[in-house]
Amino acid sequence: MKGAGGTQGGTGQFFMGLAMMCGGFYLLFNAIQVSSSFGLGYGLYRVNAFGQGMSITTGMVMLPFIIGIVMVFFDAKSKLAWLLSLGSLTALIVGVISSIQFHFKSMSAFELIVILVLAFGGLGLFLRSLKDAPTSDTQAK
């Protein structure tokens, strides 16, 4: 009979590892707080021009996006319109992602160790279940 992943591995190990992994990663991701300082006045990029530091804000990134969208709806074959639209949209997405900050909630060392053992121990058990288990023929050799 075939086990997990079509191999001779253990089906029990598969489900035990999957349960441990899901529980551990749930607890790990639940312990992470995500915050962002993103807003229309938030400085996305800093440019040093003529010895003066100038910050490009999210509002400034929206201007070429709006102009690009108008140009796309006016002439959809214009490469400049698509470049403006997609370039400013990319800059906006990169700005949002770069403004995200991750923080761990306060927890004891024991809680962190339990979470890591569940998550990565479950991953190891899950992966071990996908390889062939030794049979009595291979053990006799």
Side-chain angles (χ1 to χ4, degrees):
M1 182 173 116
K2 295 287 185 183
T7 66
Q8 295 296 327
T11 306
Q13 286 180 353
F14 176 82
F15 287 113
M16 181 64 135
L18 184 65
M20 285 174 62
M21 191 172 55
C22 288
F25 281 116
Y26 170 77
L27 291 172
L28 182 66
F29 290 140
N30 196 35
I32 297 174
Q33 294 177 333
V34 180
S35 62
S36 175
S37 58
F38 188 76
L40 284 179
Y42 178 73
L44 285 177
Y45 306 101
R46 189 122 179 105
V47 178
N48 289 324
F50 306 112
Q52 297 285 353
M54 185 178 102
S55 181
I56 298 174
T57 64
T58 55
M60 289 178 178
V61 172
M62 293 305 288
L63 287 176
F65 178 70
I66 292 169
I67 292 169
I69 292 297
V70 169
M71 290 173 63
V72 164
F73 277 89
F74 181 74
D75 180 16
K77 293 181 181 179
S78 172
K79 292 184 185 205
L80 177 64
W82 285 104
L83 181 70
L84 274 175
S85 299
L86 295 176
S88 58
L89 188 62
T90 302
L92 190 64
I93 290 170
V94 167
V96 169
I97 291 172
S98 66
S99 73
I100 294 175
Q101 298 169 349
F102 296 96
H103 303 282
F104 259 127
K105 290 181 182 176
S106 179
M107 66 176 73
S108 69
F110 177 76
E111 291 170 332
L112 181 61
I113 290 171
V114 168
I115 289 171
L116 293 177
V117 166
L118 279 174
F120 295 105
L123 179 63
L125 196 59
F126 177 80
L127 293 175
R128 185 173 75 179
S129 74
L130 298 178
K131 70 178 195 176
D132 284 328
T135 60
S136 60
D137 295 339
T138 59
Q139 289 177 347
K141 292 181 181 179

